[in-house]
């Protein structure tokens, strides 16, 4: 079977749908967090410079991941590779944020923990046996 034929198998469609849903949740949480820091920007204890930098990076990565998830579902190997790499890199970055004491406020660590759980699902799906097999064909 070709990649194109594998894309339309019921299992593939289910995995792509779940991946796009999870990445969409990650993007939604990230955008809402950006809105929150804009609204709370006057409170230096809640919104530090590090928070601004981190949240902007997260929104940018979430947007790139969402575009990659959509393109992956259309059969793009490059987008699939990008999605695998980004989900792994962002999981490591979240683990560092959660582990480093005092670098970020507790509320952001909680938000990042939630994002990490969502990305764990994404990483499991895109690194799973099924999608690796779909994109190994060709």
């Amino acid at each position: 079977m070709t990649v194109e034929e594998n894309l339309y198998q019921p299992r593939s469609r289910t995995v792509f749908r779940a991946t796009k849903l999870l990445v969409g949740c990650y993007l939604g949480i990230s955008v809402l967090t950006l809105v929150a820091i804009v609204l709370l920007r006057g409170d230096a204890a809640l919104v530090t410079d590090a928070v601004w930098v981190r949240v902007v990076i997260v929104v940018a990565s979430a947007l790139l991941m969402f575009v990659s998830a959509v393109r992956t579902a259309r059969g793009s190997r490059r987008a699939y590779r990008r999605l695998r790499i980004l989900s792994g890199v962002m999981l490591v970055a979240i683990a560092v944020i959660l582990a480093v004491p005092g670098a970020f406020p507790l509320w952001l660590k909680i938000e990042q923990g939630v994002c990490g759980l969502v990305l764990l699902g994404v990483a499991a799906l895109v690194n799973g046996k099924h999608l690796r097999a779909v994109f190994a064909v060709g």
Side-chain angles (χ1 to χ4, degrees):
M1 255 190 223
T2 66
V3 172
E4 290 76 23
E5 291 170 330
N6 280 327
L7 291 175
Y8 298 103
Q9 296 298 317
R11 174 76 176 131
S12 299
R13 302 305 327 150
T14 300
V15 173
F16 291 138
R17 192 173 19 259
T19 301
K20 289 187 289 187
L21 176 66
L22 287 171
V23 175
C25 287
Y26 175 57
L27 177 59
I29 292 166
S30 301
V31 169
L32 288 174
T33 302
L34 181 60
V35 169
I37 67 169
V38 167
L39 295 174
L40 298 170
R41 68 185 175 271
D43 188 336
L46 291 177
V47 182
T48 63
D49 289 342
V51 169
W52 276 105
V53 171
R54 176 64 189 160
V55 171
V56 169
I57 289 169
V58 168
V59 170
S61 75
L63 187 57
L64 183 57
M65 284 179 70
F66 187 77
V67 170
S68 296
V70 170
R71 289 183 179 161
T72 295
R74 293 180 186 155
S76 170
R77 283 190 171 124
R78 289 182 72 188
Y80 171 64
R81 189 176 319 115
R82 188 179 312 117
L83 188 57
R84 288 181 71 191
I85 291 168
L86 276 172
S87 62
V89 167
M90 293 309 290
L91 273 171
V92 170
I94 288 169
V96 169
I97 285 169
L98 296 178
V100 175
F104 294 95
L106 180 61
W107 74 267
L108 186 71
K109 287 186 175 203
I110 292 169
E111 181 268 351
Q112 286 292 282
V114 171
C115 285
L117 290 174
V118 172
L119 286 180
L120 196 57
V122 172
L125 289 170
V126 299
N127 290 295
K129 193 163 111 175
H130 182 77
L131 282 191
R132 284 194 331 256
V134 166
F135 287 99
V137 173

